[in-house]
């Protein structure tokens, strides 16, 4: 299914400056955030005509990484960061851990495009104490020079079983616990290490940015709840977390099998911003906000979901959230079926429940319980009437919706 061009409206008064333009106090560029057709990931097991893809809207802004010559031309780089290019010849077989060990507190590692992936040494598994178990830790982040800057864990003998602890998932490929982290313009891939679940990238802190990344089977999970629920992007605590122009493909890049669970996972964050982000081929799960306040989202696309047998995939999950929760121009294609994916377009509730106002403007969705209506399911301790729902059609008129409880 294609998205009509009329749905890809530009946001109001969006001003974006490259780092170079900002540092020289000149060359301000006013552009619109929009979409172009992403390249198909390897291992697609179905015909492209059967799969939803965003249609081109404006030529200058695309989902996923784009080839550039200078990392300083990337959007949203932090002012105080120092860009440090990969220092070695590729034949020296250095790992991402080697490179990170050379960086200072303000340094962002820059990865040129290359035929060989930049490997994370996986031989020692996920290391660290408590909640800080990761294969590699960076301070300020990573910037690639295009889709050919590929990061992936190495093949190794490391294997682990499914997690058995009660907490949320603690293992991840890459993490940062510094305010102002930046990850952008590269490709991240994963691989199986037995049945262990893991996140792709997790940040803890405020003002983190994820920009123009392509995730290809970069997170692995086995259920849509802790401890087996993994996200390609996970944020914990902190304010002003932004995700822009990102593609999250839940399929293994070699086998084409859907291995990724909930693509986005926000936890105890205030003010999250998600724009122009395409999430597809999840095995089960959904983009989820847990104990978050204030959400702004424009043009998120969630399609080709519930790929696993008995997979369950709502469109969006709001759990114990509060405040103004806004979703502008979302596309939610879930393939609802009473004997298959029973997830609704919007899942609202939690152990304490969600309060506030949920605004959905100009949604595109496929049929659910009641054809022609967006479906909402309240669950857990959700109190009736605690959330005000405002579902608007493309003309701004309030539209009917289907509301049920589990």
């Amino acid at each position: 299914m294609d998205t009509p061009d009329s749905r890809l409206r530009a946001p109001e008064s969006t001003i974006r400056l490259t780092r170079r333009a900002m540092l020289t106090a000149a060359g301000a560029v006013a552009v619109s955030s929009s979409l172009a057709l992403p390249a198909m990931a390897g291992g697609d097991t179905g015909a492209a005509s059967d799969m939803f893809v965003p249609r081109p809207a404006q030529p200058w802004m695309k989902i996923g990484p784009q080839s550039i010559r200078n990392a300083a031309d990337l959007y949203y780089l932090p002012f105080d960061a120092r860009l440090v290019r990969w220092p070695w010849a590729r034949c020296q077989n250095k790992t991402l851990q080697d490179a990170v060990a050379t960086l200072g507190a303000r340094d962002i590692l820059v990865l040129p495009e290359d035929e060989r992936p930049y490997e994370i040494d996986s031989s020692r598994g996920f290391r660290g104490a408590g909640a800080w178990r990761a294969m590699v830790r960076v301070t300020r982040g990573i910037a690639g020079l295009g889709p050919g800057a590929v990061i992936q864990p190495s093949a190794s003998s490391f294997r682990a079983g499914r997690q058995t602890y009660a907490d949320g998932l603690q293992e991840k490929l890459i993490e940062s616990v510094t305010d102002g982290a930046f990850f952008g313009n590269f490709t991240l891939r994963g691989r199986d290490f037995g049945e262990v679940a893991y996140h792709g990238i997790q940040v803890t802190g405020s003002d983190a940015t994820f920009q123009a990344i392509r995730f290809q089977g970069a997170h692995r999970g086995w259920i849509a709840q802790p401890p087996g629920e993994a996200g390609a992007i996970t944020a914990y605590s902190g304010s002003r977390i932004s995700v822009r122009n990102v593609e999250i493909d839940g399929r293994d890049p070699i086998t084409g099998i859907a291995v990724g669970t909930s693509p986005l996972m926000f936890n105890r964050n205030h003010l999250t911003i998600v724009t122009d982000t395409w999430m597809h081929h999840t095995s089960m799960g959904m983009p989820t906000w847990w104990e978050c306040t204030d959400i702004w989202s424009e043009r998120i696309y969630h399609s080709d979901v519930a790929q696993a047998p008995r997979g369950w995939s709502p469109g969006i999950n709001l759990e114990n959230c509060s405040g103004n929760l806004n979703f502008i121009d979302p596309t939610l294609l879930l393939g609802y079926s009473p004997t298959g994916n029973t997830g609704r377009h919007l899942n609202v509730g939690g152990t304490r429940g969600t309060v506030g106002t949920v605004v959905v403007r100009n949604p595109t969705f496929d049929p659910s319980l009641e054809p022609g209506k967006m479906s909402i399911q309240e669950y857990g301790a959700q109190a009736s009437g605690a959330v005000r729902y405002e579902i608007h059609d493309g003309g701004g008129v309030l539209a009917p919706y289907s509301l049920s409880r589990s």
Side-chain angles (χ1 to χ4, degrees), residues 11 30 44 88 100 119 164 213 274 326 350 386:
D44 184 19
W88 303 289
V100 167
E119 289 200 326
T164 58
I213 305 172
V274 183
N326 299 279

Side-chain angles (χ1 to χ4, degrees), residues 39 48 81 88 131 153 172 180 188 202 249 326 329 339 353 363:
W88 303 289
K172 49 284 224 199
L188 180 63
Q202 177 171 311
D249 183 344
N326 299 279
D329 296 334
T339 59

